[in-house]
Amino acid sequence: MSPFSRTVDRGKRLLGFDNGEARYGYTTTAVQGPVSTSRAASTWVRTTCGYCSVGCGMLIGVRDGRAVAVQGDPDHPVNRGRLFPKGLTEHLMIAADGRLTSPTIGGQPAAWDEAIRTMVDSFKALIDEHGPDSVAILSTGQLVTEEFYTLGKLARLGMGLRHYDGNTTLCMASAVAGYKMSFGTDGPPGCYEDLELADVVVLWGANIADNHPLLAPRIMQSHHGLRPTIIAVDPRVTKTAMLADVHVAVKPRGDIALLNGIIRHLLDEGLVDLDEVRQRANGIDELLAHLDDWSVERAAEEAGVEADVIRATAITIGRAEGCVLAWTMGVNHSTQGTMTVTLLNTLALLTGNIGKPGASPMSITGQCNAMGTRETGFTASMPGYRSYDNPVHRADLARLWSIDESRLPVERGRAYPDIINAVMSGKIKGLWIIGTNPVVSYPNRETLEIALSRLHVLVVQDGFETPTTAMAHIVLPAAIWGEKEGTYTNSERRVSRVRAAVDPPGQALSDSDIFRRVAAEWGCADLLADCATPHDAYDEWRGVSAGRPCDYSEITLDRIDVEGGVQWPNGAARLYETGAYNYPDGRAKVYPVEPEAIRDRQRAAYPFNLNTGRTVEHWHTRTKTGRIGILEGLAPEAWVELHPIDAEALGVYAGDFVRVSSQRGAIGRIRARITSIVRQGEVFIPFHWDERCANRLTVDEFDPISREPNDKHCSVSIARIGAR
Ligand SMILES: Nc1nc2c(c(=O)[nH]1)N[C@H]1C(S)=C(S)[C@@H](COP(=O)(O)OP(=O)(O)OC[C@H]3O[C@@H](n4cnc5c(=O)[nH]c(N)nc54)[C@H](O)[C@@H]3O)O[C@H]1N2
Ligand SMILES: Nc1nc2c(c(=O)[nH]1)N[C@H]1C(S)=C(S)[C@@H](COP(=O)(O)OP(=O)(O)OC[C@H]3O[C@@H](n4cnc5c(=O)[nH]c(N)nc54)[C@H](O)[C@@H]3O)O[C@H]1N2
Ligand SMILES: [Mo]
């Protein structure tokens, strides 16, 4: 059993007896650490929430050096004082059980110097023997921007590694790739105010009620008194679908057919100004030719949506003065994620819904600072959205850093799944994992675990004990939210400050301190000389971003303090307001897209499509929320949603336990929820639980362009194993 499961099990208490049998479970106080029972704070520290990318401003209440309370920041432009269940209990997370307090080597506590020396010596030995491609880094969307900037320099220039990616490839990579293809660079064009100003908001594969809860009030309370028409496109009747005016219950992966049908109908109804669009975008003729093969009826058949609903949706979008097309993982998590994103962008371009108030294609980001790593990092592009293969960008960056241009990498390294494949085949032998828990979050867990077990050196840097730290040779304890300084950038490109309220536990250090120690031991401390503090790193980054699409140069920390959060570039609410895009000719690009069948599709042996996702009470792999009694009490165990007709055929009653199997693995025992939230033939499992891990079932297939996994579609079978 991993140390992680032990920690959680310790939280179980004897709750009572049923027919003489002891009943164990969680009580609301069981799994939290030693927190103060009083919430009376003596000081309040202003910061930004560390869960999702909505980026809510909040205040941490501190007393006697401990975080005792939180409050929504009434002055913050994003949430205006509101918070939701995870945010409201975030202070409990800091002092929860299971924090890492000392570095370890081979499971034994070690001094920092020794841990860092062992790590650096081991990586250098691999590089000496097998070359720099034998070591890789997987990072996260949950550090502060200053740390991403520092880590990028350290990884690519200091350590000379080519393969550096992060969990953001499991998340926003399709949006990034789709934006680049449509507009020439990454960057979400709109802002939250557009949700209030729009006539129509389409939430496409985005369950904001559970996952970005504080966007819901932004949509429901429109500036002009009328709330927009809300359309939810999702195979499930999510809470978001329930609050929407229209729920379009698309078939899994029916989105491309649906979008083709909507665009076809807009063209047929004369709702697209083709002359105008031709001036702004390339590829229109290819798109029109492709749509000759698409009728609304064909779209209806392939999307599993009635033709009338497609027509009505098209007309609603086409006649809106402003429409926001917002999407999340129902779109990105697919082998066709990138191309689906381009089609959403195309729909926005064709209907003029970009670059003006109340209108935008809008990827809602996932993690608190996934944006920061996109802008400053060295993963999909060089810092400041600079391309590896653009000579001007290269020269510019080399000059800014006073380095020889030859030190800059010439291409992007392996993406996350390609790093894992190379670990599997033995090409990558050393891996440094920072702030992510792949054992629970990566698709096809068994293969992943085999890959990680083949590593010669696995270093894991985290704030908590996790199933991934349990596999590591060297564990580095990190300070987390509430314990360090920096900035996060949210889904609407708004930069907000993150502040330390309390000290990290034991010997834990901030990630930036750890990066500087690694740099010193590696012999490249000079690279980070001007990033000695988070503030210094931020100032250097501001200079490096100057003149780029993600320009932070005028977003000083003082300005953030005054305005409560400032959007890049330099305070602009929206991108593309002039109609000029980031391709050299200033035009955007549209693409014809043809849907492909789901590869691991339903068949006799595996008759159900498995959809996986989230619930409001938990955060990802529950390293944080699984230790907070209030949240555990609300959602104590995993479940599988099963349609009543399927349940009847299987003889499964509400609350029964079932076994769920795919070609790759099984969850031996999981509770069934019989509900028509899912369509017949489809099941849904939240992926938060290590113990009932949905990723034992999921398929390790990836989008060919973005390399994002296909987390929402694979086939499974269900068998009843016992009554509740
Ligand atoms: N409470 C909570 N909030 C979170 C997180 C969390 O773990 N917990 N994580 C954060 C992160 S990193 C992210 S990325 C976001 C994710 O936020 P969301 O994308 O909203 O989350 P998911 O539940 O993964 O998936 C969204 C929806 O996609 C639907 N879907 C599945 N297949 C399809 C399809 O083929 N087409 C369409 N149109 N829809 C489909 C699912 O039914 C699901 O309702 O949430 C962020 N916020
Ligand atoms: N089946 C299925 N799988 C999925 C998804 C799905 O919808 N379905 N969603 C995918 C998506 S969108 C995402 S984003 C991923 C998320 O997957 P993960 O990144 O694996 O999830 P987290 O639990 O957020 O892991 C983050 C880790 O970082 C640690 N941490 C937090 N703050 C800090 C810090 O400041 N420093 C350091 N060093 N560590 C820190 C936490 O303790 C935690 O262990 O999961 C993906 N996996
Ligand atoms: Mo995510």
Side-chain angles (χ1 to χ4, degrees):
M1 194 192 284
S2 72
F4 180 66
S5 340
R6 267 205 305 280
T7 312
V8 172
D9 284 351
R10 244 191 288 136
K12 284 196 174 170
R13 297 282 188 280
L14 181 65
L15 296 181
F17 293 92
D18 288 334
N19 300 324
E21 264 205 62
R23 182 161 51 85
Y24 292 90
Y26 297 105
T27 63
T28 48
T29 52
V31 288
Q32 20 184 296
V35 296
S36 164
T37 48
S38 165
R39 282 166 54 94
S42 50
T43 50
W44 292 90
V45 178
R46 182 164 265 130
T47 191
T48 308
C49 180
Y51 286 113
C52 85
S53 65
V54 171
C56 296
M58 59 198 276
L59 305 164
I60 306 179
V62 183
R63 205 184 61 193
D64 302 332
R66 292 223 295 255
V68 296
V70 288
Q71 264 183 39
D73 181 350
D75 299 324
H76 198 272
V78 167
N79 56 315
R80 303 162 189 164
R82 295 190 187 89
L83 285 181
F84 75 119
K86 288 199 305 296
L88 283 168
T89 52
E90 208 160 352
H91 59 292
L92 299 176
M93 185 262 302
I94 299 175
D97 244 6
R99 286 297 303 274
L100 294 169
T101 52
S102 162
T104 58
I105 303 174
Q108 298 305 312
W112 268 110
D113 286 350
E114 195 193 348
I116 299 281
R117 198 180 329 115
T118 310
M119 168 186 174
V120 169
D121 289 350
S122 319
F123 283 164
K124 281 194 165 175
L126 287 174
I127 290 171
D128 284 346
E129 195 175 342
H130 307 283
D133 286 355
S134 62
V135 175
I137 297 179
L138 284 175
S139 115
T140 179
Q142 299 176 44
L143 307 186
V144 293
T145 295
E146 294 74 357
E147 290 168 342
F148 289 132
Y149 178 74
T150 309
L151 175 61
K153 282 180 93 177
L154 169 65
R156 305 236 40 191
L157 307 184
M159 299 168 79
L161 304 182
R162 274 212 307 151
H163 306 314
Y164 160 46
D165 198 22
N167 68 0
T168 43
T169 292
L170 307 184
C171 181
M172 298 312 294
S174 297
V176 172
Y179 279 138
K180 284 185 177 172
M181 286 180 66
S182 298
F183 307 127
T185 63
D186 185 16
C191 60
Y192 300 159
E193 193 195 27
D194 292 330
L195 297 169
E196 296 167 346
L197 298 174
D199 304 316
V200 177
V201 173
V202 188
L203 296 163
W204 207 297
N207 179 13
I208 60 163
D210 273 297
N211 303 323
H212 300 97
L214 285 162
L215 290 185
R218 297 294 298 263
I219 302 176
M220 309 301 264
Q221 290 171 7
S222 155
H223 275 343
H224 42 84
L226 280 171
R227 80 167 174 76
T229 302
I230 303 172
I231 303 175
V233 183
D234 197 303
R236 286 168 77 219
V237 193
T238 57
K239 291 170 202 156
T240 307
M242 290 177 203
L243 67 80
D245 300 283
V246 182
H247 173 213
V248 180
V250 68
K251 269 208 295 222
R253 191 74 80 65
D255 307 278
I256 291 171
L258 178 59
L259 281 158
N260 282 340
I262 289 173
I263 297 173
R264 168 82 266 158
H265 194 62
L266 286 167
L267 292 165
D268 290 347
E269 291 297 302
L271 287 166
V272 177
D273 183 344
L274 280 174
D275 292 336
E276 161 81 14
V277 175
R278 271 185 226 280
Q279 290 178 16
R280 302 244 178 271
N282 294 318
I284 301 292
D285 292 328
E286 292 81 348
L287 176 71
L288 295 181
H290 176 251
L291 289 173
D292 282 345
D293 295 338
W294 280 87
S295 63
V296 173
E297 285 68 26
R298 176 182 168 198
E301 171 74 29
E302 294 189 25
V305 175
E306 302 87 324
D308 282 351
V309 173
I310 299 183
R311 288 193 193 96
T313 305
I315 301 271
T316 308
I317 295 170
R319 293 207 181 130
E321 239 172 75
C323 170
V324 174
L325 291 161
W327 77 89
T328 321
M329 292 307 127
V331 170
N332 290 353
H333 275 164
S334 143
T335 45
Q336 288 194 283
T338 305
M339 292 317 293
T340 315
V341 169
T342 67
L343 212 43
L344 283 160
N345 292 336
T346 296
L347 177 56
L349 284 161
L350 294 181
T351 51
N353 280 308
I354 184 163
K356 65 177 191 189
S360 177
M362 185 191 278
S363 57
I364 308 172
T365 319
Q367 305 164 77
C368 54
N369 199 25
M371 290 285 289
T373 189
R374 275 151 79 170
E375 293 140 17
T376 62
F378 247 116
T379 48
S381 49
M382 295 194 293
Y385 290 168
R386 291 179 174 89
S387 311
Y388 291 108
D389 57 3
N390 182 319
V392 179
H393 293 176
R394 299 178 63 81
D396 188 31
L397 201 54
R399 179 186 51 77
L400 283 162
W401 281 337
S402 315
I403 58 167
D404 195 279
E405 200 188 303
S406 62
R407 285 181 69 188
L408 294 173
V410 292
E411 58 181 7
R412 139 167 224 179
R414 288 175 186 269
Y416 189 154
D418 305 306
I419 289 178
I420 298 302
N421 291 343
V423 172
M424 195 67 166
S425 67
K427 285 195 189 105
I428 291 178
K429 299 173 195 301
L431 185 63
W432 183 10
I433 294 180
I434 303 158
T436 186
N437 184 14
V439 172
V440 183
S441 59
Y442 191 78
N444 193 351
R445 174 165 175 166
E446 195 183 334
T447 313
L448 186 274
E449 283 178 323
I450 294 170
L452 294 188
S453 68
R454 291 190 180 168
L455 283 163
H456 297 207
V457 190
L458 173 60
V459 179
V460 181
Q461 178 168 325
D462 201 295
F464 284 96
E465 292 169 14
T466 75
T468 306
T469 61
M471 292 188 76
H473 304 112
I474 300 173
V475 175
L476 305 177
I480 57 171
W481 177 90
E483 298 166 348
K484 59 183 180 179
E485 300 279 325
T487 55
Y488 291 156
T489 301
N490 75 359
S491 285
E492 59 167 351
R493 314 181 317 281
R494 188 180 298 278
V495 187
S496 292
R497 290 191 69 167
V498 176
R499 285 196 180 81
V502 296
D503 291 331
Q507 298 174 50
L509 291 177
S510 74
D511 294 279
S512 37
D513 284 339
I514 301 174
F515 299 149
R516 274 191 295 277
R517 282 181 179 235
V518 172
E521 187 66 34
W522 200 279
C524 60
D526 55 317
L527 257 181
L528 307 183
D530 293 333
C531 306
T533 67
H535 295 349
D536 295 340
Y538 185 75
D539 281 341
E540 185 176 310
W541 157 242
R542 281 201 300 123
V544 166
S545 73
R548 300 296 305 150
C550 50
D551 194 332
Y552 281 60
S553 57
E554 291 168 26
I555 309 177
T556 58
L557 295 176
D558 289 344
R559 180 167 169 199
I560 299 175
D561 284 340
V562 173
E563 296 180 30
V566 182
Q567 288 170 280
W568 66 248
N570 291 334
R574 298 175 186 83
L575 308 183
Y576 311 128
E577 282 184 307
T578 61
Y581 297 92
N582 291 329
Y583 274 111
D585 67 357
R587 287 172 196 229
K589 232 181 219 173
V590 302
Y591 303 84
V593 188
E594 196 64 8
E596 291 162 11
I598 293 171
R599 265 171 258 158
D600 181 20
R601 73 174 94 173
Q602 290 143 271
R603 52 197 186 278
Y606 299 105
F608 297 97
N609 178 68
L610 172 68
N611 175 0
T612 63
R614 299 160 160 78
T615 183
V616 68
E617 300 84 0
H618 284 297
W619 179 253
H620 296 161
T621 67
R622 282 170 57 261
T623 60
K624 290 174 164 183
T625 53
R627 272 121 175 171
I628 297 175
I630 295 168
L631 300 175
E632 274 292 280
L634 289 168
E637 63 170 10
W639 70 88
V640 53
E641 290 171 7
L642 189 61
H643 190 272
I645 295 176
D646 294 326
E648 198 179 344
L650 291 163
V652 175
Y653 293 90
D656 281 357
F657 285 105
V658 295
R659 177 183 172 85
V660 186
S661 317
S662 78
Q663 228 175 338
R664 296 153 295 276
I667 299 179
R669 195 178 149 84
I670 184 169
R671 186 142 356 230
R673 278 191 190 170
I674 315 296
T675 168
S676 42
I677 282 177
V678 284
R679 297 158 56 120
Q680 209 182 325
E682 287 162 31
V683 297
F684 174 86
I685 304 180
F687 84 100
H688 305 294
W689 277 268
D690 173 35
E691 306 84 347
R692 314 242 186 285
C693 184
N695 281 319
R696 291 194 185 281
L697 305 165
T698 48
V699 61
D700 42 350
E701 279 180 354
F702 304 89
D703 179 304
I705 304 167
S706 67
R707 306 306 284 144
E708 178 145 347
N710 192 63
D711 282 339
K712 304 279 190 260
H713 320 104
C714 72
S715 63
V716 295
S717 66
I718 310 254
R720 180 177 180 273
I721 54 161
R724 69 201 125 122

